[in-house]
Amino acid sequence: MARIYQVPSHTRIWLALAVLLCSMPQLVKGPLWQAGLLLLVILIRWLVELQRLTLPGRIVRSLLLIGAVALTFYSFGRLYGPEAGVALLVSLFALKYLEVVQQRDAYVVIVLGYFVCATALLFSQTPGMFLYVILCMTVLTSCLVGINHSDTRANGLLHGKRALVITLQSIPLMMVLFLLVPRVAPLWNMQVGGDKARTGMSDSMSPGQISELSESAELAFRVDFQGEVPPRAQRYWRGLTLSHYDGRTWQQAVPQGQSESEYLYRRGSEKPDWYQELENRRSSEQKRYLYEVIAEPSQRRWLFSLAVPFPLDGDMALAKDMRLVANQPVSQRLAYRVESIPAATEVIGLTSQERQLMLSLPQSAGRKARGLAHQWRLESSSARDIAQRALRYFRDQPFHYTLRPPRLTADPVDDFLFRTRRGFCEHYASSFTFLMRAAGVPARVVVGYQGGEQNDLGTHFLVRQYDAHAWSEIWLDGEGWIRVDPTGAVAPDRIELGLREALENSEDGRDLLADLGLRSFSDGGLFAKVSQWMDYVDFRWQTWVLGYDSAFQSDFLENLIGAVTPVRIAIALIVAVAMLMGLYAFFLLWQTGNEKLTLMEREYWRLHQRASERGRPLVAGLTPMQLCEAISDQWPKAAVAAQNWAKYYQKLHYDPLSLPDKQQRRHLRSLRNRLYKLLD
């Protein structure tokens, strides 16, 4: 026995559109076979609609199911986890659409669709994705409206209008629940994208590595200062400290004999001695910067901050070398608050193991550089004097700052210092640190970002990949670790103005800027204005919506209801929801008492009122033909015109196939106007 398709015809296009839209985010980033599977399902449904094909039987559907599961396992290597789980869910969602026959099947697809469109927020939480999910939910609601409407005089566009009204009505309630319901960790806090390619800065530095990174204009992180903002020349965003050098590459290292608990402090754990000294200086020091950083996904654990950072959030740690470390790789946008006190660096001591590490050099590297450093040591009275001699050497000799330096030989330090003398920031930081160590001054390389560009529409700064930078730190007795940036001795514009301005002033910079497309908001034009607005909206979305955590909510509720207790929150929630429901009820009652007439009803009552005004009052409730007879009795000469109007009116009003179009309405109005003239 053939199965009868119970879904109304005017809803089928909405259902197909809902399946397509809800699956689209996964299809864009997922394997190609998923798009092919969905297209196959939609093609089959279309042929079924045209009665050129019957719905596949149980065997075919089972084979498609087995194939979807097998391909998911082949593409992801597993059937569990966020990526594989969502891919499998979307595939089963498409196959379920192939089974829709009865109304309850449509209900299952619609309810499943709400869940599928929400999974898109696992991988992207941008404002655009949020609006897209709202669109998908509106289309699904249109399907829900349509399957509960009969085929008689139904209009698919009317379903969309009603669904839009329902969605708009739900927004105030959604906002109340968002603000008042106690915050829990959102679903997108789970670690997704762990197998994605890593982006941004790596955990080592070799010649040419940062210059390659600086050819990208992608966003690294945003910063929003609360209070005083340091000048651009002081905005050094440290990410990694590199202490071990093998002759070509600088890498991270921990002094021999030190455990992680001694070198790394996490909130809530036992405080090591060096952190207690920092805290004592923190309470007495006045010069400080308070800011929030929103880091882009990098799949790495290191974070960026000014010196010396004190983390205000519990999901990160502070290392003794003044770098922040996240507890998990940053696979999604991460917001964290930091307080930095630059002067606190002088209280951090230097153990004998650390001094040994900060002076270590490979025996075979930089023989000529060692000789130069040894000469400076003999001629200098202090470590600061040695550093000044090195900076003077970079200024006096014909060194050049370039993003595309020549390739170095097997001994990068000597080759750069005495032959090519053309390099980017990593060349200067590496060679300067080598010279300092060779002269007996403890030194290390720090890599991160320098500068940042402010969005004129707000107060936050954007730090991009082309702001990547490397500098040095040297240890001075009584002063602690002191930042020294040898790049500033060769290209001071890089520190004061930024990479783009520095390249514009260099010999090959302007052509390079055009090739790389490194442009900023300040370049002007319509595109720059649009970019500023998009960045501002995205930043506020991140801080106000995604950043609305339990601490933020606690502060908000404390200002709203005073002391935050479960009872007060429950009362506020009940009152707010009751007020909204009361407004909705009032609106519905007002709509019921002021129902608008349809087009055909207005046409009827206009003629009824005109006939009542010109002759004897007519009773209400007359049919179109009874109204025609009443007019004919009072105005015999208008009988033919009244009959023409009544017949045409009935034809349009009771036609179950379609609503009257514009031309038909105009003709009906002309018949009524012709009848008006005969009533005078």
Side-chain angles (χ1 to χ4, degrees), residues 111-123:
V111 172
L112 189 59
Y114 283 112
F115 187 76
V116 169
C117 68
T119 59
L121 297 175
L122 284 174
F123 308 98

Side-chain angles (χ1 to χ4, degrees), residues 126-361:
T126 61
M129 181 57 71
F130 174 77
L131 294 176
Y132 185 82
V133 170
I134 293 295
L135 172 64
C136 293
M137 294 177 67
T138 304
V139 174
L140 288 167
T141 307
S142 301
C143 299
L144 201 58
V145 172
I147 63 175
N148 289 282
H149 200 294
S150 64
D151 265 324
T152 305
R153 300 187 61 79
N155 187 345
L157 294 178
L158 184 61
H159 303 334
K161 180 180 178 181
R162 289 178 176 173
L164 181 60
V165 171
I166 293 173
T167 303
L168 293 177
Q169 289 175 343
S170 68
I171 290 178
L173 182 61
M174 175 191 68
M175 295 178 63
V176 168
L177 297 177
F178 175 79
L179 293 173
L180 298 181
V181 172
R183 307 298 294 167
V184 295
L187 187 60
W188 52 79
N189 269 8
M190 68 171 63
Q191 295 297 318
V192 297
D195 54 351
K196 293 181 180 178
R198 296 184 174 186
T199 59
M201 199 161 290
S202 65
D203 57 355
S204 62
M205 188 192 76
S206 55
Q209 192 167 3
I210 295 183
S211 57
E212 292 177 0
L213 184 63
S214 294
E215 297 184 9
S216 170
E218 293 184 2
L219 185 65
F221 55 91
R222 295 185 179 97
V223 185
D224 190 20
F225 285 93
Q226 300 175 19
E228 185 178 358
V229 178
R232 184 186 187 104
Q234 299 299 320
R235 293 201 294 268
Y236 281 82
W237 305 100
R238 56 188 305 120
L240 292 169
T241 54
L242 309 178
S243 305
H244 177 263
Y245 184 58
D246 62 3
R248 189 171 189 87
T249 302
W250 290 89
Q251 296 174 326
Q252 294 186 91
V254 177
Q256 188 175 5
Q258 283 194 357
S259 63
E260 182 178 299
S261 60
E262 295 175 321
Y263 203 75
L264 204 64
Y265 168 70
R266 287 186 172 86
R267 293 181 66 185
S269 62
E270 183 179 355
K271 297 179 181 179
D273 295 339
W274 61 266
Y275 188 80
Q276 292 180 358
E277 294 177 358
L278 279 178
E279 277 202 326
N280 295 334
R281 182 59 184 268
R282 178 184 182 184
S283 60
S284 61
E285 183 64 37
Q286 299 297 321
K287 187 70 171 181
R288 63 190 65 215
Y289 300 107
L290 186 64
Y291 51 94
E292 181 180 18
V293 180
I294 301 177
E296 294 295 305
S298 63
Q299 312 303 326
R300 303 179 186 274
R301 293 181 58 190
W302 48 85
L303 304 174
F304 300 94
S305 65
L306 302 174
V308 172
F310 292 89
L312 302 180
D313 298 318
D315 54 352
M316 67 186 73
L318 175 64
K320 188 180 180 181
D321 56 9
M322 296 181 292
R323 57 187 172 90
L324 292 178
V325 182
N327 293 340
Q328 298 290 339
V330 183
S331 59
Q332 300 289 333
R333 279 185 178 176
L334 176 65
Y336 55 95
R337 295 174 298 132
V338 181
E339 182 183 50
S340 289
I341 302 178
T345 181
E346 65 185 38
V347 303
I348 301 178
L350 188 67
T351 65
S352 58
Q353 294 91 344
E354 291 171 344
R355 180 181 291 272
Q356 182 180 0
L357 175 63
M358 302 306 169
L359 290 173
S360 62
L361 289 173

Side-chain angles (χ1 to χ4, degrees), residues 475-493:
W475 173 265
L476 300 180
D477 293 333
E479 299 182 51
W481 287 105
I482 302 300
R483 181 181 67 242
V484 181
D485 192 348
T487 303
V490 180
D493 288 347

Side-chain angles (χ1 to χ4, degrees), residues 513-533:
L513 281 175
D515 294 340
L516 301 179
L518 301 183
R519 292 294 177 256
S520 68
F521 288 150
S522 58
D523 291 338
L526 179 61
F527 178 76
K529 292 295 183 182
V530 173
S531 298
Q532 278 193 325
W533 274 107

Side-chain angles (χ1 to χ4, degrees), residues 39-96:
L39 290 177
L40 176 63
V41 169
I42 292 179
L43 177 62
I44 292 175
R45 296 294 324 195
W46 180 62
L47 293 176
V48 171
E49 291 286 339
L50 297 178
Q51 297 184 354
R52 297 183 179 180
L53 190 70
T54 59
L55 282 174
R58 183 173 301 175
I59 296 178
V60 175
R61 297 199 306 271
S62 299
L63 291 176
L64 290 174
L65 173 61
I66 295 173
V69 174
L71 288 173
T72 301
F73 185 82
Y74 173 78
S75 300
F76 298 94
R78 58 185 182 273
L79 296 178
Y80 58 90
E83 295 89 352
V86 171
L88 183 59
L89 176 64
V90 172
S91 301
L92 299 182
F93 175 58
L95 293 178
K96 185 60 184 177

